[in-house]
Amino acid sequence: MTDQDTHFVLERLLRLRDRREPLVAQVAEWVGAGIIEGRLEPGQDLNSVELSRRFDTSRTPVREALMLLEQEGLVEMKARRRPRVAAPSLQDIRDIYQVRKNLLAMLAGLLVERATGEELAELRTWVERMRKLADDGDVDAYFWSHVLLQERMTEIVGNATLKQILDSLALRTLMLRHLSLTRVGRLAYSIDDQERLLQACEERDGELASALIAGATVRALRAVEEQLEQDAARSRKPARRRRAAS
């Protein structure tokens, strides 16, 4: 996995090639990757002055980039407040995963029907590379490889409508998908899921493939819920200490 692969995914999903101003694309890509990979946390302020200095530009390209990310659900911009990283509610997250689970089940079923033996061999090689990344504990590289694997699956299936709907959810889910993989043990579970899914595809068992990918999506949601619960518990502890001290 390379920075070029990250660039490819964000460039396509954010439609950055359509931007006339290169600095808008650069800022949007840097902030977008930071949000997805957790370097910029939900609720964190995005200081346009600091971003302008980082990219040696005026605040106009920065604002355009943040507005672009707002359209995709990654940034919140409200009047008389600094832009900040979006913090979706738990119910929003559950709703997104419910839709995603059903779309991916459809994708897996179509993959079984339409993938050639050569294309499945390509996916097998891909998953073998992901196994090494998982064994090495490289969360970021594994995550982006997984993103590209699912992109390749949608290309093989060739259903333009399904791909368009998945793309519309993609940026809203990437941050959550990365978060789920940071949980202890999740990389091992995830790669096991990918190997079982591919085996079901190779055996041309569409019902099993759909069930496996749906189950993997539910487990990813549970990992996100657990992480958010832990984060919330940590944020409450200082408040309790302050009350006790007073």
Side-chain angles (χ1 to χ4, degrees):
M1 183 66 205
T2 66
D3 289 342
Q4 186 61 32
D5 294 323
T6 307
H7 168 76
F8 169 78
V9 173
L10 292 176
E11 181 184 61
R12 190 181 72 78
L13 292 176
L14 288 170
R15 299 174 294 281
L16 296 181
R17 290 183 182 178
D18 299 337
R19 310 302 302 185
R20 294 181 179 178
E21 175 55 67
L23 279 170
V24 173
Q26 291 175 30
V27 175
E29 184 177 325
W30 186 85
V31 174
I35 293 171
I36 290 165
E37 294 179 354
R39 293 188 300 277
L40 300 172
E41 299 180 350
Q44 181 176 337
D45 284 345
L46 297 168
N47 191 318
S48 58
V49 174
E50 291 180 1
L51 287 170
S52 298
R53 289 173 182 158
R54 171 179 287 274
F55 290 92
D56 191 23
T57 184
S58 69
R59 294 173 65 179
T60 299
V62 171
R63 182 167 181 78
E64 289 183 22
L66 296 180
M67 289 174 65
L68 175 61
L69 293 171
E70 180 189 30
Q71 293 170 13
E72 300 297 336
L74 294 182
V75 168
E76 294 178 355
M77 298 179 70
K78 296 183 179 179
R80 296 181 295 280
R81 292 184 60 180
R82 277 185 179 174
R84 65 179 185 176
V85 178
S89 70
L90 185 55
Q91 188 57 53
D92 288 341
I93 292 169
R94 288 170 175 160
D95 289 346
I96 288 170
Y97 268 86
Q98 183 178 38
V99 173
R100 181 172 169 76
K101 178 186 73 172
N102 289 288
L103 291 174
L104 290 178
M106 182 185 300
L107 175 69
L110 290 172
L111 188 65
V112 168
E113 291 177 13
R114 299 181 181 182
T116 65
E118 183 177 316
E119 287 167 337
L120 289 177
E122 174 193 348
L123 297 180
R124 170 61 66 183
T125 300
W126 204 311
V127 170
E128 287 171 353
R129 290 198 300 266
M130 288 172 60
R131 165 61 73 179
K132 185 177 186 307
L133 294 172
D135 290 344
D136 291 343
D138 193 335
V139 173
D140 286 348
Y142 178 89
F143 164 75
W144 288 109
S145 292
H146 189 195
V147 171
L148 288 170
L149 173 68
Q150 287 195 346
E151 291 234 346
R152 181 63 184 129
M153 287 178 175
T154 61
E155 290 172 359
I156 291 170
V157 164
N159 185 313
T161 300
L162 178 58
K163 182 173 178 58
Q164 184 178 18
I165 298 172
L166 282 169
D167 280 353
S168 71
L169 290 173
L171 284 165
R172 297 171 190 268
T173 61
L174 288 181
M175 175 183 67
L176 301 171
R177 289 168 65 187
H178 187 279
L179 177 64
S180 76
L181 289 173
T182 63
R183 297 282 297 169
V184 175
R186 274 295 299 158
L187 279 179
Y189 279 117
S190 179
I191 190 58
D192 286 348
D193 285 336
Q194 303 314 308
E195 290 176 342
R196 284 193 290 265
L197 170 62
L198 187 54
Q199 183 176 350
C201 291
E202 291 168 339
E203 294 172 355
R204 301 296 178 177
D205 191 334
E207 186 174 343
L208 177 58
S210 294
L212 286 170
I213 203 166
T217 306
V218 170
R219 283 189 290 279
L221 171 59
R222 287 175 183 160
V224 171
E225 291 173 333
E226 290 168 1
Q227 187 61 52
L228 292 178
E229 287 171 2
Q230 278 193 4
D231 292 344
R234 279 197 298 267
S235 68
R236 288 194 296 269
K237 284 182 180 178
R240 288 172 181 160
R241 292 196 190 102
R242 285 194 297 270
R243 284 197 295 271
S246 62

